[in-house]
Amino acid sequence: MSKLNVENVSVTFDDKKIIENISLELKDGEIVSLLGVSGAGKTTLFNVIAGLVTPETGKVYLEGEDITGKTGKVSYMLQKDLMLPFKTIVDNVSLPLVVRGEKKKQARETASKYFEEFGLKGCEKMYPDQLSGGMRQRAAFLRTYLFSDNVALLDEPFSALDTITKSDMHKWYLNVMEQIKLSTVFITHDIDEAIKLSDRIYIMTGKPGKITKEIIVNTPKPRDKAFALSDEFVAYKREIMEYLEKNI
């Protein structure tokens, strides 16, 4: 079942076409990655899906509803966690609920129910500077989920983490996603990350940016660390790298 559909979207800024005739589908509970070099228009496409940019042509549909140019329909998580330093973690996480009109007390109670599931139990009254980078990203992801449990857009959320922390976050992320089944579109420059996390990978190339290839990752989830050393993983990586070398 389709959760999100982007149909024939093009965007032009200052007479320069940024993305052209892009279509993609996100199915219920699926993780789809957008993989490509800087400048291919991935973030512009995210802004269109989020309703922050109205496309020159094309439409965005959420469960069949036209949401083109409408904000607040999907959640959006950026590279930086954007935690407010003067608020506790529970108040940071529950902020979307407060913005939607919930009383602070009720919003805190609602958010607190998810802290154990997201690996944050015991952090409710701590402040952002008391948490590691990985824990802050967990909190940011929970905040994103509370904004909308429908569709999430994640813009390189793990890119600032060191290699070991990123690997741990990938394992944690896949485990959480198995539980909450949040339909997700994920921007990354990291080929390994895209293969580890995705059900499908869209590759964006060119200027203006276009989706020029789709790769289906058939390996069942959850995927353990051994997957990254498997022949299957190496085959996916070789296919992507060879394609990018020919098309950049």
Side-chain angles (χ1 to χ4, degrees):
M1 175 182 171
S2 291
K3 199 76 169 179
L4 180 79
N5 292 89
V6 177
E7 297 183 359
N8 306 313
V9 160
S10 298
V11 173
T12 299
F13 291 138
D14 297 328
D15 298 323
K16 181 180 180 182
K17 186 155 283 186
I18 308 300
I19 54 176
E20 183 175 32
N21 198 33
I22 286 182
S23 297
L24 64 82
E25 178 188 22
L26 176 66
K27 297 173 184 176
D28 193 23
E30 189 177 40
I31 302 174
V32 168
S33 285
L34 284 175
L35 178 67
V37 298
S38 296
K42 299 184 298 297
T43 298
T44 298
L45 177 58
F46 259 37
N47 288 336
V48 170
I49 298 171
L52 300 171
V53 171
T54 301
E56 174 187 357
T57 61
K59 296 287 185 180
V60 180
Y61 297 95
L62 179 64
E63 296 183 320
E65 176 192 354
D66 185 352
I67 63 166
T68 312
K70 298 178 182 178
T71 58
K73 298 293 185 177
V74 300
S75 56
Y76 198 155
M77 180 175 165
L78 302 172
Q79 296 175 35
K80 295 182 179 179
D81 59 63
L82 300 179
M83 292 282 118
L84 298 175
F86 52 87
K87 286 184 175 290
T88 62
I89 300 303
V90 72
D91 282 340
N92 266 287
V93 164
S94 61
L95 190 59
L97 304 176
V98 175
V99 170
R100 286 208 298 265
E102 281 194 30
K103 298 292 186 183
K104 283 186 178 181
K105 183 179 179 182
Q106 179 59 46
R108 287 171 182 152
E109 290 175 357
T110 301
S112 294
K113 295 175 184 177
Y114 294 93
F115 268 62
E116 183 169 4
E117 188 174 7
F118 278 72
L120 291 165
K121 190 169 180 61
C123 299
E124 291 87 343
K125 295 183 180 180
M126 297 174 72
Y127 287 86
D129 64 0
Q130 295 177 290
L131 299 187
S132 67
M135 293 295 281
R136 287 173 64 124
Q137 288 301 89
R138 292 188 189 200
F141 184 53
L142 175 53
R143 182 182 57 193
T144 301
Y145 177 69
L146 290 175
F147 179 86
S148 171
D149 60 3
N150 211 343
V151 169
L153 310 177
L154 307 186
D155 190 349
E156 297 194 84
F158 309 133
S159 62
L161 302 176
D162 63 79
T163 302
I164 294 174
T165 303
K166 183 186 285 191
S167 178
D168 289 341
M169 284 296 292
H170 287 161
K171 180 180 178 181
W172 168 83
Y173 174 74
L174 285 173
N175 287 337
V176 169
M177 292 296 288
E178 280 295 301
Q179 297 173 53
I180 65 176
K181 304 292 184 184
L182 178 64
S183 305
T184 305
V185 185
F186 192 101
I187 282 183
T188 182
H189 291 93
D190 187 329
I191 295 172
D192 288 19
E193 181 171 75
I195 298 169
K196 287 177 186 176
L197 301 183
S198 306
D199 298 294
R200 289 184 296 117
I201 301 168
Y202 286 115
I203 298 179
M204 288 185 69
T205 59
K207 292 186 179 182
K210 300 177 182 178
I211 290 176
T212 54
K213 188 173 180 65
E214 177 188 352
I215 292 175
I216 299 171
V217 184
N218 286 313
T219 307
K221 293 179 180 177
R223 299 167 187 157
D224 58 23
K225 291 182 179 180
F227 173 54
L229 301 173
S230 67
D231 292 342
E232 187 178 12
F233 183 94
V234 172
Y236 285 125
K237 187 169 183 177
R238 182 181 295 113
E239 179 182 3
I240 292 169
M241 292 180 68
E242 288 178 350
Y243 181 81
L244 288 172
E245 285 173 5
K246 293 176 182 177
N247 291 275
I248 291 178

